[in-house]
Amino acid sequence: MTQLHLPDGAAARDGYRCRIDPESAGWTHTSLRILDLAPGASHTLETGDSEWILLPLSGSAEVVCDGARLRLHGRPDVFSAVSDFAYLPRDATARVDSAGGGRFALCGARCTSKLPLRYGPASGVPVEIRGAGRAARQVNNFASAEAFEADRLIAVEVLTPAGNWSSYPPHKHDEDRPGEECRLEEVYWFAIGGGPDGSGGKGEGMGEGEGMGYHRVYPSGAGGPSDVLAEVRTGDAVLVPDGWHGPSMAAPGYPMYYLNVMAGPGAERRWLICDDPAHAWVRGTWPDEPADPRLPLYTAPSPEGTH
């Protein structure tokens, strides 16, 4: 079986801090690349047979693609603000320039349609509070199926306050069942904040310290044998080709961020999931749970100018 828990650096290659492609993951559609750029550095991407979203995790950038230039304001880190982003079409060449340096996610999916280059403003990102009580979390739906047009790609950010559980109840999307469930391959990429200085333990804005959380994937009996219980730290990734996944557990003192990137072979681009029947009842308790006063950690900014 393909290694499903990839500690920070385990998938480093070709100049990326993390590079997960369909070939390395053993699946057909979903990609994620994490790119670190020093101040003044540039990176060129051939998009090939995939559509991509360039999402600043920290820092800002300019993107040149298909004769146009987009400026991404970015953010200091994932725990402080929603970011703007750029959609990059298949069969194109894109150059990323960062005057101040930063870390950037390239979320990708093999696709058939070439949609145009587009700018996604931070002000247009729907911010959702999901769950309640100790299962409350914030979801930044920057490229959900409902919020942003793409051919195959679905991508969101989830922020889980310290001590809370997210991706809960455990759920799956490893079968195509019209109207009930879509088959989607998924990558979780993690960052951990908190610690005595609020940065994960070592004073770095991305939380590159000793903070940790936990993530679970277990067999669903329908799609395959995936089975993971991983201690995750900043820069770690977990592949979910199949199976029930969740909870993602944020340890006390350490809020958890993860980037979810999904795509699949289905005729529809939809996020349709099925809860594990053993735990689905938990959703019914949420109306009686108190709100988590720490949420939202932040909201989308007011509308920005045109880019």
Side-chain angles (χ1 to χ4, degrees):
M1 182 187 295
T2 300
Q3 182 180 350
L4 299 183
H5 174 215
L6 300 169
D8 185 25
R13 58 189 172 96
D14 302 329
Y16 294 100
R17 188 183 185 103
C18 176
R19 178 169 176 166
I20 297 165
D21 296 322
E23 293 79 10
S24 65
W27 55 36
T28 59
H29 282 79
T30 306
S31 297
L32 174 66
R33 302 179 187 181
I34 303 298
L35 175 67
D36 285 346
L37 288 179
S42 296
H43 177 79
T44 299
L45 169 73
E46 299 293 337
T47 63
D49 63 359
S50 296
E51 59 185 348
W52 298 85
I53 283 179
L54 177 71
L55 176 73
L57 301 172
S58 65
S60 59
E62 291 193 348
V63 183
V64 179
C65 183
D66 283 352
R69 181 183 293 271
L70 303 178
R71 181 185 177 194
L72 301 183
H73 295 285
R75 53 189 164 182
D77 60 76
V78 297
F79 294 101
S80 61
V82 177
S83 182
D84 51 358
F85 59 94
Y87 174 90
L88 311 177
R90 62 166 289 162
D91 300 319
T93 300
R95 191 183 78 241
V96 184
D97 303 320
S98 181
R103 179 172 295 174
F104 306 91
L106 283 157
C107 312
R110 281 183 173 153
C111 63
T112 55
S113 299
K114 180 168 181 174
L115 302 178
L117 173 75
R118 277 168 291 151
Y119 173 74
S123 60
V125 175
V127 175
E128 171 191 3
I129 305 303
R130 193 175 294 170
R134 286 300 179 183
R137 60 273 201 184
Q138 174 174 330
V139 184
N140 299 338
N141 289 297
F142 70 95
S144 67
E146 297 78 19
F148 189 80
E149 182 186 8
D151 187 40
R152 294 282 180 179
L153 180 64
I154 298 173
V156 302
E157 301 179 296
V158 180
L159 295 117
T160 308
N164 283 15
W165 285 20
S166 57
S167 274
Y168 193 76
H171 59 280
K172 74 181 184 75
H173 39 69
D174 56 15
E175 296 180 278
D176 278 318
R177 296 185 296 134
E180 296 185 41
E181 185 178 351
C182 290
R183 185 172 156 229
L184 295 167
E185 311 151 349
E186 184 168 17
V187 180
Y188 281 65
W189 184 87
F190 294 89
I192 308 298
D197 57 7
S199 65
K202 288 186 178 176
E204 299 289 339
M206 280 299 298
E208 297 187 41
E210 297 304 316
M212 75 295 189
Y214 296 87
H215 184 71
R216 180 75 170 114
V217 184
Y218 57 99
S220 67
S226 297
D227 197 343
V228 176
L229 176 57
E231 182 175 288
V232 292
R233 299 175 184 272
T234 294
D236 287 14
V238 174
L239 308 182
V240 185
D242 53 71
W244 307 111
H245 41 290
S248 297
M249 295 165 273
Y254 295 101
M256 171 187 283
Y257 164 95
Y258 51 86
L259 172 63
N260 286 144
V261 184
M262 294 166 274
E268 292 185 279
R269 177 181 172 249
R270 298 182 69 187
W271 185 67
L272 292 179
I273 65 169
C274 173
D275 285 339
D276 183 340
H279 307 292
W281 65 271
V282 172
R283 286 190 190 273
T285 69
W286 289 347
D288 299 322
E289 290 277 355
D292 190 322
R294 298 171 292 179
L295 293 172
L297 288 143
Y298 48 76
T299 59
S302 58
E304 302 163 343
T306 302
H307 287 245

